[in-house]
Amino acid sequence: MTEKTSPLRVGLFVTCLVDLMRPSVGFGALHLLARIGPSLDVLVPDQQTCCGQPAYNSGDLVSARTLAQNVIETFEGFDRVVVPSGSCAGMIVKHYPNLFAIEDPWRARADSLAQRTWELTSFLAEHLDLNDTGAAFAGTATYHDSCAGLRELGVKHQPRRLLATVEGLTLNELADSESCCGFGGLFSLKYPDVSGAIVDQKAQAVENTNSDLLVGGDLGCLMNVAGKLKRRGSKMRVFHIAEVLANLTDACGIGEDQDA
Amino acid sequence: MSNPIPPGHEPQCHDFQAGAKKALDNKVLQALLERTLKSGFQQRRLNAKARLPEYDQLRDQARDLKNHVLDNLDVYLERFEAQLTKAGGHVHWAKDAAHAREIILKICQDAGAKTVSKGKSMIGEEIALNDFLDANGVVPIETDLGEYIIQLRHELPSHIIAPAFHLSKEQVGETFKEHHTHLDQDRDLSEPSVLLGEARAELRDKFLRADVGITGANILIAETGTAMIVTNEGNGDLTQSLPPVHIALTSIEKVVPTLEDATLILRLLARTATGQEQTVYNTFFTGPKRQGDLDGPEAFHVVLLDNGRTDLLGSEFRDVLRCIRCGACINHCPVYAVTSGHAYGWVYPGPIGAVLSPHFVGLDEAHLLPSASTLCGRCEEVCPVHIPLPDLLRHWRTRGFAAKKGGKMQRLGLALWAQLARRPGLYHAVMALGVNGLKLMGGKRGAFKSLLGAGGWTKTRDLPTPQGGTFQARYRKGER
Ligand code: SF4
């Protein structure tokens, strides 16, 4: 990219969970994108709501389509759409096109959005080749590979590459890091016992690394594991990778009490 | 769609929640699952894959081969029938489970059979053959160790390649003591090899007395009219070669064009299923004993079961017909890893079961199974023939939603959510209110220990509280 080209218009899709539960992930993402400088023009359109994944995975295709259309329209004017979640990005990239028949005019628009959409760490590491985050954390961390990002989008080395730029941070790999944490969206509410048993194994593996932090790229999974760690009495702190890379680890981690 | 199922074999898929709970509370089972899946099946598959650089290429080839077969299924099945008939065998087309049971019973009766020996066959489970034969005066004797154990215990298989996967060796020992009453009750059965030896001794005699042998068939080879099976115990060989009549019970999608194609499937099957380079016994049957043959059955029958498979062919579930029943999707499923097989309530467990069961036993009965998945995608990742299992599970969810299965509350919640989320202005206002309310309730706490309306979430884990304010509200106020 030369100096003279007009900046790349980037839309941040914060996702409904980040919007509701943990705005700092969105602010962290903005901070990271801002580091790139004037070659990016980053906006958070206010028409965005939810990507429709809960409806899609429940077989409610009518609702899923409605929500997809809203996202497609909202981000139509952007060159790139960045999402701090592998599963919401996967929904847009892999599943939106399937929601519309080939002859449906929405199909082309869905295809176009799918091509412009990036999961945050892939965008930073692969698309922008970001090698300097300016972040620091004196301690150890382990990383959970969330399933949708990993298998639908190939997110694996990107977060590790970015974490390597955090001064003072040592990464301890998680045993069986590619196994599911048991979240599965509405699955965790519909089958709480099964989901609880799966996340218990994940929490055990996380504790076994003896790290200071658990880091991941999907808030749903992180809330699940953080909730289980807390129930087990673990003191491990849990953060979204955008927060770690944006140096927000002084604030409370996910599930952490304010006076802890 | 579903066939008359003999009494005692009613599927229990609707009871998934209770079945799962039972498994979760079973400490022995949980320890067993943890030990045998990760360091067992999963690791062995990885090792085998690492030893075969072209493993992934073979998967693509196998997918293409199976797709080709499905596109030309009639051609290859008819070729198979013609070739086998030429070799002196008989092919029987069974449209459904009841039909297959009748065909088999008739063959047994015509042979004057009192006992039949059986090799492991999932199709036998699918059509609930044992109880049916038993009820009609023909005693079936399972010769595969795992099948033999679950037959003694009157249980369904808990895994498609390891039927007694849910049992510890201690439990097997207890079962043997209970049933082999003629043996010393104080004998030491703590070693697996001793258990195997005892089962062999019990079975050997029955092999010799069987009038008919029934096996499955993993692959049918059209060009030669050959049926073949893989076993690790060699029981399949004895089952097919000792009795005067051999029936291979199998399903229509198992056919491949050539021997060469069969080897492609075999190379993948053993590695993916058990991590072996090759299954120990690979047995090919082409017709009955010929003149000059030293052994083999006098008569050879192949029963080709459809049971709704041709319906699948024309549906959104077509891809599932590529399945070679290796069990890898089961071995890598996080749900199966804590619930084991019986929770799924019918013969096929795990991801493949959650796709097959609604088809065979109906969505009314089995609609919970497709939703009992996190859709993590590991099943598809390990499937040797690239079956998109998560997509197929979603297709069932779509059918289930259209048929109004699943909880009323969930439907209502989704509808409300969708209504709200398509009105961004209202959505943001409502969400800000809700989040602030939750934040107020949470106070300084980082997580709720229990929260009304959180489903069962807080039963098993805490629920992190919201940070405070929605992103949108804070961003609009100028926060960066
Ligand atoms: S669906 Fe794939 S992984 Fe599962 S049993 Fe069939 S072939 Fe094996």
Side-chain angles (χ1 to χ4, degrees):
Chain A
M1 216 176 304
T2 64
E3 290 294 315
K4 286 196 199 79
T5 49
S6 54
L8 202 61
R9 282 173 56 82
V10 175
L12 180 69
F13 180 33
V14 288
T15 78
C16 55
L17 267 187
V18 166
D19 183 42
L20 303 178
M21 302 305 288
R22 211 160 164 85
S24 59
V25 175
F27 290 115
L30 283 179
H31 170 91
L32 288 162
L33 293 169
R35 276 193 79 84
I36 304 296
S39 61
L40 298 186
D41 179 12
V42 183
L43 264 180
V44 191
D46 64 358
Q47 291 296 303
Q48 61 176 284
T49 58
C50 163
C51 72
Q53 201 179 165
Y56 181 65
N57 285 342
S58 302
D60 180 0
L61 298 190
V62 175
S63 297
R65 255 176 227 125
T66 308
L67 298 189
Q69 285 166 337
N70 180 50
V71 175
I72 292 169
E73 264 175 344
T74 301
F75 288 98
E76 211 123 62
F78 291 91
D79 300 317
R80 300 286 182 274
V81 178
V82 176
V83 192
S85 155
S87 76
C88 305
M91 177 71 198
I92 296 173
V93 173
K94 292 286 173 200
H95 302 293
Y96 271 15
N98 296 334
L99 281 172
F100 305 99
I102 295 282
E103 60 279 4
D104 187 334
W106 280 97
R107 174 59 173 263
R109 298 167 76 180
D111 282 335
S112 157
L113 178 63
Q115 281 153 19
R116 288 178 282 125
T117 299
W118 288 78
E119 182 273 336
L120 176 68
T121 63
S122 307
F123 188 67
L124 295 172
E126 271 175 28
H127 193 301
L128 301 175
D129 204 18
L130 179 70
N131 285 314
D132 170 25
T133 52
F137 177 81
T140 54
T142 190
Y143 195 84
H144 169 61
D145 295 295
S146 285
C147 300
L150 176 71
R151 299 197 179 86
E152 293 184 340
L153 304 173
V155 177
K156 175 86 185 182
H157 62 94
Q158 304 86 333
R160 287 169 177 75
R161 206 180 121 186
L162 294 168
L163 285 175
T165 68
V166 179
E167 199 187 312
L169 183 143
T170 310
L171 188 69
N172 297 324
E173 282 295 348
L174 185 59
D176 213 18
S177 75
E178 295 190 0
S179 74
C180 177
C181 75
F183 174 59
L186 292 178
F187 170 85
S188 59
L189 298 177
K190 201 164 175 187
Y191 300 96
D193 296 323
V194 178
S195 173
I198 301 173
V199 71
D200 198 46
Q201 296 183 352
K202 182 57 74 181
Q204 180 69 59
V206 168
E207 283 174 24
N208 288 348
T209 67
N210 261 322
S211 306
D212 302 312
L213 302 185
L214 166 66
V215 185
D218 256 278
L219 190 53
C221 313
L222 290 172
M223 285 175 60
N224 183 38
V225 185
K228 191 71 198 190
L229 285 168
K230 187 136 195 217
R231 182 65 58 95
R232 287 166 61 102
S234 162
K235 290 275 172 280
M236 191 174 302
R237 305 176 67 214
V238 183
F239 286 95
H240 189 282
I241 185 162
E243 298 172 301
V244 177
L245 299 176
N247 238 347
L248 300 173
T249 42
D250 285 340
C252 284
I254 300 167
E256 198 176 332
D257 297 333
Q258 256 172 43
D259 39 16
Chain B
M1 188 182 293
S2 65
N3 293 289
I5 289 167
H9 280 273
E10 292 82 5
Q12 303 296 326
C13 313
H14 61 276
D15 233 7
F16 178 82
Q17 297 271 26
K21 188 82 182 67
K22 202 167 139 202
L24 290 170
D25 292 340
N26 182 341
K27 295 277 168 304
V28 177
L29 178 63
Q30 291 299 321
L32 210 61
L33 286 166
E34 198 160 344
R35 201 171 60 235
T36 41
L37 287 175
K38 285 195 183 112
S39 53
F41 277 134
Q42 293 182 12
Q43 192 56 47
R44 285 204 294 270
R45 171 187 169 276
L46 270 185
N47 297 346
K49 183 172 183 279
R51 288 192 301 265
L52 187 72
E54 66 267 36
Y55 180 85
D56 280 326
Q57 258 166 286
L58 295 184
R59 290 172 70 186
D60 295 350
Q61 281 177 22
R63 174 200 52 209
D64 297 346
L65 166 70
K66 282 291 201 170
N67 282 341
H68 169 79
V69 167
L70 294 178
D71 290 342
N72 302 278
L73 196 55
D74 48 345
V75 174
Y76 290 117
L77 285 171
E78 280 170 18
R79 190 171 299 166
F80 172 78
E81 180 182 30
Q83 291 302 99
L84 179 58
T85 309
K86 225 193 274 173
H90 306 276
V91 173
H92 307 262
W93 302 80
K95 65 178 188 310
D96 58 24
H99 191 197
R101 291 192 294 260
E102 291 300 338
I103 291 169
I104 292 169
L105 181 62
K106 175 96 178 18
I107 299 171
C108 292
Q109 285 170 340
D110 288 351
K114 294 203 178 52
T115 54
V116 304
S117 55
K118 280 189 71 222
K120 178 176 136 38
S121 155
M122 284 308 293
I123 302 291
E125 298 287 347
E126 183 180 315
I127 68 168
L129 184 60
N130 283 356
D131 281 8
F132 176 78
L133 290 178
D134 227 352
N136 285 282
V138 181
V139 180
I141 302 186
E142 290 291 355
T143 62
D144 170 87
L145 179 59
E147 284 287 345
Y148 175 65
I149 295 164
I150 63 165
Q151 188 189 24
L152 291 180
R153 296 171 61 95
H154 291 286
E155 287 176 334
L156 280 176
S158 59
H159 191 296
I160 62 173
I161 69 162
F165 194 57
H166 57 291
L167 296 171
S168 67
K169 63 179 196 297
E170 289 76 20
Q171 288 169 308
V172 175
E174 284 161 28
T175 302
F176 280 8
K177 285 196 176 164
E178 197 181 309
H179 289 271
H180 302 160
T181 44
H182 56 285
L183 298 173
D184 178 10
Q185 278 300 301
D186 296 328
R187 65 196 186 280
D188 179 13
L189 290 178
S190 54
E191 284 304 313
S193 59
V194 177
L195 288 170
L196 186 65
E198 181 167 321
R200 283 225 164 111
E202 288 293 310
L203 289 171
R204 186 69 48 156
D205 174 50
K206 290 170 179 156
F207 269 128
L208 297 172
R209 279 195 285 122
D211 309 299
V212 172
I214 302 176
T215 65
N218 295 84
I219 305 175
L220 303 171
I221 300 156
E223 69 170 352
T224 53
T226 302
M228 75 88 47
I229 52 167
V230 298
T231 71
N232 275 318
E233 296 166 19
N235 59 313
D237 296 28
L238 295 181
T239 308
Q240 72 88 20
S241 61
L242 289 181
V245 179
H246 174 207
I247 305 170
L249 167 61
T250 188
S251 52
I252 53 173
E253 80 282 15
K254 302 254 163 53
V255 72
V256 298
T258 67
L259 258 170
E260 181 94 19
D261 298 325
T263 60
L264 169 63
I265 305 287
L266 289 175
R267 292 181 79 192
L268 277 173
L269 180 58
R271 289 178 170 88
T272 314
T274 52
Q276 292 164 288
E277 319 281 275
Q278 216 180 35
T279 314
V280 180
Y281 297 89
N282 293 258
T283 314
F284 296 77
F285 337 113
T286 312
K289 180 173 168 179
R290 291 160 306 184
Q291 235 180 2
D293 280 354
L294 292 180
D295 53 19
E298 306 296 331
F300 177 51
H301 301 265
V302 171
V303 178
L304 288 175
L305 178 68
D306 184 330
N307 210 16
R309 284 167 173 80
T310 42
D311 299 335
L312 285 175
L313 209 51
S315 76
E316 67 269 45
F317 302 103
R318 181 186 177 98
D319 289 340
V320 79
L321 291 172
R322 289 203 298 267
C323 177
I324 59 173
R325 301 289 191 271
C326 71
C329 56
I330 300 172
N331 298 339
H332 292 76
C333 176
V335 173
Y336 181 92
V338 296
T339 65
S340 185
H342 288 161
Y344 289 81
W346 199 57
V347 295
Y348 299 108
I352 181 65
V355 172
L356 290 177
S357 296
H359 172 71
F360 287 124
V361 306
L363 201 51
D364 270 348
E365 171 64 34
H367 68 89
L368 282 179
L369 302 185
S371 73
S373 160
T374 64
L375 300 179
C376 76
R378 208 167 186 194
C379 47
E380 178 176 1
E381 183 181 73
V382 298
C383 176
V385 286
H386 296 293
I387 297 174
L389 291 152
D391 285 343
L392 302 186
L393 293 172
R394 279 196 196 90
H395 290 329
W396 277 124
R397 293 180 184 192
T398 302
R399 284 205 187 186
F401 189 84
K404 297 202 159 46
K405 306 284 174 231
K408 268 219 180 71
M409 286 308 286
Q410 190 188 333
R411 300 178 67 85
L412 197 68
L414 282 171
L416 270 175
W417 179 251
Q419 285 305 319
L420 198 58
R422 67 203 285 193
R423 294 174 180 77
L426 182 65
Y427 173 92
H428 291 308
V430 171
M431 289 304 137
L433 263 178
V435 161
N436 291 339
L438 267 183
K439 175 70 190 159
L440 216 61
M441 278 170 65
K444 288 187 163 193
R445 280 178 297 162
F448 295 108
K449 292 240 167 292
S450 73
L451 183 68
L452 210 66
W457 178 289
T458 50
K459 212 165 101 190
T460 49
R461 76 217 104 172
D462 290 4
L463 178 67
T465 52
Q467 217 167 21
T470 64
F471 176 88
Q472 288 289 352
R474 287 165 59 175
Y475 181 75
R476 302 295 149 211
K477 276 197 203 118
E479 185 175 339
R480 291 295 180 270

